[in-house]
Amino acid sequence: MELIRRLRVRDVRCYEDASITLGDRLTVIYGANGAGKTNLLEALYFGCTGRSCRTSNDREFIRFGQGAARVEFELEGDAGSHTLAVGFEPGQPRHVTADGGPVDRLVDVPFRPLACVFLPDRLDLIKGAPSLRRDHLDQLVAGLWPARASVRRDYGAALAQRNALLSRIRNHGVDPSELDTWDLELGRHAIALRLERERAVALVGEPAQEIATELGLPGGLELRYRPRSTAEDPAAFAAELLERRSSDLERGFTGHGPHRDELLLSREGRELRVYGSQGEQRVALLSLLLAEREVLAAERGQTPLLLLDDVMSELDADRRARLVERITAAGQSVVTTTELEHVPGGEAAGVARVTVERGVVGQELAA
């Protein structure tokens, strides 16, 4: 398993040039609110994935007044030491180098660390629109089985083609029977996508329930994938589309299929999106991410780097202790907090501790 030994950031958010060393298991970054702790988590995530975990506008990732940002890792694993760097300049592809050589895509780097991240802002995953949960589920599928990452893209391409044909039929008098071929094609990809999602939810459901109970969510956590279609073959899916063809033509887009499916997170039969308190939603999100981390470790043979931002603030002392015990059992974890004592065992030997004050890494305490 690859461990990130050192992170260096240049012109990232509030940092001109900063470096931190990570512990083998736990790293605690602490300081006042607004000091820049989350920016370091974001940089770690960016180095693992090539994208921000906080914004869709990557320009915000670059320090104000600068034209580019860069994240560098020093890694150590069973096969030896490696370096990995990801640079970003607006309007340009990511500039990725591995062991000093250029790489076309970050996902092609064999020693690229996997990452899971908890941010308070990610509560939208629980209480936001279904599309957020579908996207998250599809990212999990791609993480679990990289060879299947194209399933979502293939479905999206077929859906776009069918929607374009619906538009031509409405506006230019094209024969509606031309939809028959695309209905079968869409059905082929729809069934593949639904099966992969169901498979992922089945893997994550049990550990998520266990972790939620351990972290004190009353009634535990239930995950349920609710598909619009349960068709077993493309012909059956095409028949479902045919029943809805007139309404699709009226609206000008396809209203049936996996792009309308839902991932439900419930407690005692009630959707947390509607009936859960913010505290319950936070525990549910944390449980889901921890379960996904465990499943990814089992499937990929590599425990993802876990990034937890301000996770301790709404947990009592007992649940904090349970959480730290679980996350330090395997892999690396980085936790931000305003006070070191909020992290049980944060002062123990083997823990890397980093202080941050007003955007400056003031002191790094030896692990």
Side-chain angles (χ1 to χ4, degrees), residues 204-279:
V204 171
E206 186 173 335
Q209 166 78 0
E210 175 188 333
I211 294 168
T213 301
E214 182 179 303
L215 294 181
L217 182 66
L221 174 65
E222 178 189 358
L223 300 182
R224 183 164 65 90
Y225 178 56
R226 186 173 67 189
R228 286 294 186 97
S229 170
T230 57
E232 295 297 327
D233 56 64
F237 186 85
E240 293 175 349
L241 289 179
L242 182 59
E243 292 176 0
R244 297 164 174 83
R245 183 173 292 182
S246 60
S247 61
D248 285 352
L249 286 169
E250 182 179 345
R251 292 178 297 190
F253 61 87
T254 305
H256 181 68
H259 61 290
R260 303 296 299 275
D261 291 353
E262 171 68 295
L263 174 64
L264 301 175
L265 294 90
S266 304
R267 179 184 69 82
E268 297 179 332
R270 295 188 174 188
E271 283 189 60
L272 286 163
R273 177 180 64 85
V274 179
Y275 299 104
S277 68
Q278 179 156 304

Side-chain angles (χ1 to χ4, degrees), residues 26 209-220 283 286-287 290 293-294 306 308 311-312 315-330 333 335 342-345:
L26 180 61
Q209 166 78 0
E210 175 188 333
I211 294 168
T213 301
E214 182 179 303
L215 294 181
L217 182 66
V283 173
L286 180 58
S287 302
L290 291 174
R293 186 190 191 217
E294 293 186 2
L306 182 63
L308 301 177
V311 74
M312 300 295 177
L315 297 177
D316 58 34
D318 183 56
R319 286 190 286 178
R320 290 175 183 174
R322 293 180 194 174
L323 174 61
V324 170
E325 181 180 2
R326 179 173 284 274
I327 67 176
T328 55
S333 299
V335 179
H342 289 174
V343 182

Side-chain angles (χ1 to χ4, degrees), residues 20 27-31 37 40-41 44 334-337 352 354 356:
I20 65 171
T27 300
V28 181
I29 302 174
Y30 62 103
K37 304 182 299 295
L40 293 174
L41 287 194
L44 284 163
V334 182
V335 179
T336 69
T337 182
V354 179
V356 178

Side-chain angles (χ1 to χ4, degrees), residues 150-185:
S150 63
V151 171
R152 167 68 180 267
R153 294 195 300 270
D154 293 342
Y155 176 78
L159 179 64
Q161 291 284 354
R162 186 179 191 270
N163 285 341
L165 182 53
L166 286 170
S167 178
R168 292 198 298 273
I169 293 170
R170 291 181 71 202
N171 300 321
H172 303 290
V174 174
D175 187 347
S177 66
E178 291 197 17
L179 284 166
D180 294 346
T181 300
W182 278 111
D183 288 356
L184 285 169
E185 180 70 4

